[in-house]
Amino acid sequence: MYTGKTEQPCCLCANPETTSRLDLPPRAVREMKHAGSIAWRDIVGEVSIHFCANDWALVRDLVVDLDQNPLSRCNVAYASFDIREDFEALLNDVRDEPDHTEADAEMIAESRRVVEAFDEDDLIETRDLVEAKITLWTLLDLDAPAYEEISR
């Protein structure tokens, strides 16, 4: 039985041919369309969303040029993530609920570094900037505890 993440179709239009992927914190699921029944606290690791070429151009423009977060338009059914229960079933072991604070803090720190260094660092791609901005906006909007700790 495979419990790992799989490549998913575009989270905006369901096109199976994707060109770009963003890895976001589990808390980001709460901002996505149709996410009401997903227990985001049970997600292990990051949440990956994929985009086709056409939608990637739109997302890139929305984030980079207009400073808008497109996450609310992304369908969570097309996101890729691992649920804690999958691992429990595979390992026949019950695990504690994951604490995402440390992972959120690391993602915030890395995202801030990417945003600040984007213009000077040739190794940072536009995809990295889009992922960083969406991560920061989402964690700020959702009042992530790690965001407050780092801001102090």
Side-chain angles (χ1 to χ4, degrees):
M1 169 177 19
Y2 177 73
T3 60
K5 291 192 284 188
T6 59
E7 185 158 334
Q8 299 288 15
C10 176
C11 67
L12 293 174
C13 70
N15 182 344
E17 299 296 321
T18 59
T19 59
S20 298
R21 182 187 90 206
L22 300 179
D23 294 325
L24 303 170
R27 195 179 303 269
V29 165
R30 294 172 50 201
E31 292 287 296
M32 298 174 75
K33 190 183 338 179
H34 308 301
S37 62
I38 296 177
W40 68 269
R41 287 182 177 92
D42 284 337
I43 295 175
V44 178
E46 68 274 336
V47 173
S48 297
I49 55 175
H50 303 262
F51 298 96
C52 65
N54 289 339
D55 286 339
W56 175 247
L58 173 66
V59 167
R60 185 189 61 232
D61 291 346
L62 281 171
V63 172
V64 175
D65 297 336
L66 300 175
D67 283 333
Q68 292 189 3
N69 190 346
L71 206 53
S72 65
R73 299 283 186 210
C74 297
N75 189 338
V76 76
Y78 300 127
S80 178
F81 52 87
D82 296 326
I83 300 288
R84 177 172 56 125
E85 284 79 13
D86 292 342
F87 287 106
E88 291 174 355
L90 179 66
L91 301 174
N92 198 21
D93 181 29
V94 176
R95 297 195 172 183
D96 293 332
E97 182 178 286
D99 179 8
H100 296 290
T101 307
E102 185 176 327
D104 287 353
E106 289 173 12
M107 291 183 102
I108 290 168
E110 176 61 16
S111 295
R112 284 184 174 167
R113 186 195 68 75
V114 167
V115 170
E116 291 170 3
F118 178 71
D119 291 330
E120 293 116 25
D121 190 344
D122 293 337
L123 297 178
I124 299 176
E125 299 177 4
T126 303
R127 190 212 68 81
D128 300 324
L129 179 65
V130 170
E131 182 178 87
K133 284 186 166 192
I134 291 175
T135 297
L136 289 172
W137 292 334
T138 302
L139 291 175
L140 179 62
D141 288 347
L142 295 172
D143 295 324
Y147 207 96
E148 294 172 13
E149 289 176 19
I150 289 177
S151 297
R152 288 184 216 164

mmCIF file of all heavy atoms in Angstrom, residues 28 39 41 54-55 60 79 113 119 138 141 143 150:
data_model
loop_
_atom_site.group_PDB
_atom_site.id
_atom_site.type_symbol
_atom_site.label_atom_id
_atom_site.label_comp_id
_atom_site.label_asym_id
_atom_site.label_seq_id
_atom_site.Cartn_x
_atom_site.Cartn_y
_atom_site.Cartn_z
ATOM 1 N N ALA A 28 -2.721 25.828 5.382
ATOM 2 C CA ALA A 28 -3.205 26.452 4.146
ATOM 3 C C ALA A 28 -4.452 25.774 3.601
ATOM 4 O O ALA A 28 -5.235 26.394 2.875
ATOM 5 C CB ALA A 28 -2.099 26.442 3.090
ATOM 6 N N ALA A 39 -9.492 17.645 8.314
ATOM 7 C CA ALA A 39 -8.844 17.956 9.592
ATOM 8 C C ALA A 39 -7.394 18.322 9.310
ATOM 9 O O ALA A 39 -6.510 17.464 9.291
ATOM 10 C CB ALA A 39 -8.936 16.760 10.532
ATOM 11 N N ARG A 41 -5.121 19.579 10.983
ATOM 12 C CA ARG A 41 -4.146 19.259 12.027
ATOM 13 C C ARG A 41 -3.622 17.824 11.900
ATOM 14 O O ARG A 41 -2.606 17.488 12.480
ATOM 15 C CB ARG A 41 -4.758 19.463 13.413
ATOM 16 C CG ARG A 41 -4.935 20.918 13.766
ATOM 17 C CD ARG A 41 -5.508 21.067 15.173
ATOM 18 N NE ARG A 41 -5.614 22.443 15.552
ATOM 19 C CZ ARG A 41 -6.681 23.198 15.386
ATOM 20 N NH1 ARG A 41 -7.748 22.693 14.809
ATOM 21 N NH2 ARG A 41 -6.697 24.458 15.760
ATOM 22 N N ASN A 54 -1.313 27.326 -18.239
ATOM 23 C CA ASN A 54 -2.172 28.519 -18.331
ATOM 24 C C ASN A 54 -2.500 29.093 -16.957
ATOM 25 O O ASN A 54 -2.429 30.303 -16.740
ATOM 26 C CB ASN A 54 -3.472 28.210 -19.076
ATOM 27 C CG ASN A 54 -3.237 27.990 -20.552
ATOM 28 O OD1 ASN A 54 -2.237 28.412 -21.110
ATOM 29 N ND2 ASN A 54 -4.171 27.308 -21.183
ATOM 30 N N ASP A 55 -2.891 28.216 -16.040
ATOM 31 C CA ASP A 55 -3.248 28.695 -14.708
ATOM 32 C C ASP A 55 -2.031 29.165 -13.936
ATOM 33 O O ASP A 55 -2.125 30.071 -13.104
ATOM 34 C CB ASP A 55 -4.005 27.620 -13.931
ATOM 35 C CG ASP A 55 -5.430 27.447 -14.422
ATOM 36 O OD1 ASP A 55 -5.957 28.387 -15.059
ATOM 37 O OD2 ASP A 55 -6.021 26.374 -14.190
ATOM 38 N N ARG A 60 0.896 33.295 -11.116
ATOM 39 C CA ARG A 60 2.127 34.083 -11.025
ATOM 40 C C ARG A 60 1.822 35.576 -11.117
ATOM 41 O O ARG A 60 2.319 36.374 -10.326
ATOM 42 C CB ARG A 60 3.089 33.648 -12.137
ATOM 43 C CG ARG A 60 4.449 34.322 -12.060
ATOM 44 C CD ARG A 60 5.289 34.038 -13.284
ATOM 45 N NE ARG A 60 4.603 34.556 -14.462
ATOM 46 C CZ ARG A 60 4.349 33.847 -15.557
ATOM 47 N NH1 ARG A 60 4.705 32.589 -15.642
ATOM 48 N NH2 ARG A 60 3.731 34.403 -16.579
ATOM 49 N N ALA A 79 -5.434 18.707 -4.190
ATOM 50 C CA ALA A 79 -4.185 18.899 -3.446
ATOM 51 C C ALA A 79 -3.617 17.535 -3.069
ATOM 52 O O ALA A 79 -4.335 16.547 -2.972
ATOM 53 C CB ALA A 79 -4.437 19.731 -2.196
ATOM 54 N N ARG A 113 13.013 35.007 3.853
ATOM 55 C CA ARG A 113 14.331 35.070 3.226
ATOM 56 C C ARG A 113 14.198 35.144 1.706
ATOM 57 O O ARG A 113 14.859 35.952 1.050
ATOM 58 C CB ARG A 113 15.162 33.849 3.613
ATOM 59 C CG ARG A 113 16.607 33.915 3.118
ATOM 60 C CD ARG A 113 17.322 32.579 3.169
ATOM 61 N NE ARG A 113 16.804 31.599 2.233
ATOM 62 C CZ ARG A 113 17.031 31.610 0.913
ATOM 63 N NH1 ARG A 113 17.750 32.571 0.369
ATOM 64 N NH2 ARG A 113 16.534 30.675 0.143
ATOM 65 N N ASP A 119 15.312 39.798 -5.488
ATOM 66 C CA ASP A 119 15.914 40.671 -6.491
ATOM 67 C C ASP A 119 17.429 40.511 -6.610
ATOM 68 O O ASP A 119 18.000 40.771 -7.664
ATOM 69 C CB ASP A 119 15.582 42.140 -6.193
ATOM 70 C CG ASP A 119 14.106 42.428 -6.413
ATOM 71 O OD1 ASP A 119 13.497 41.760 -7.271
ATOM 72 O OD2 ASP A 119 13.561 43.305 -5.718
ATOM 73 N N THR A 138 -0.972 33.392 3.810
ATOM 74 C CA THR A 138 -1.895 32.411 4.375
ATOM 75 C C THR A 138 -1.695 32.259 5.875
ATOM 76 O O THR A 138 -2.658 32.276 6.645
ATOM 77 C CB THR A 138 -1.731 31.051 3.663
ATOM 78 O OG1 THR A 138 -1.979 31.246 2.260
ATOM 79 C CG2 THR A 138 -2.681 30.019 4.224
ATOM 80 N N ASP A 141 -2.977 35.404 7.566
ATOM 81 C CA ASP A 141 -4.440 35.460 7.558
ATOM 82 C C ASP A 141 -5.066 34.504 8.563
ATOM 83 O O ASP A 141 -6.119 34.784 9.127
ATOM 84 C CB ASP A 141 -4.994 35.136 6.170
ATOM 85 C CG ASP A 141 -4.760 36.255 5.167
ATOM 86 O OD1 ASP A 141 -4.398 37.371 5.593
ATOM 87 O OD2 ASP A 141 -4.937 36.010 3.959
ATOM 88 N N ASP A 143 -3.739 33.546 11.373
ATOM 89 C CA ASP A 143 -3.209 33.802 12.713
ATOM 90 C C ASP A 143 -2.412 32.617 13.258
ATOM 91 O O ASP A 143 -2.612 32.167 14.385
ATOM 92 C CB ASP A 143 -4.332 34.145 13.701
ATOM 93 C CG ASP A 143 -5.028 35.444 13.341
ATOM 94 O OD1 ASP A 143 -4.339 36.355 12.870
ATOM 95 O OD2 ASP A 143 -6.249 35.530 13.520
ATOM 96 N N ILE A 150 7.548 34.640 15.642
ATOM 97 C CA ILE A 150 8.647 35.157 14.819
ATOM 98 C C ILE A 150 8.577 36.671 14.730
ATOM 99 O O ILE A 150 9.591 37.342 14.655
ATOM 100 C CB ILE A 150 8.609 34.516 13.421
ATOM 101 C CG1 ILE A 150 9.018 33.067 13.535
ATOM 102 C CG2 ILE A 150 9.507 35.235 12.450
ATOM 103 C CD1 ILE A 150 8.967 32.287 12.253
#
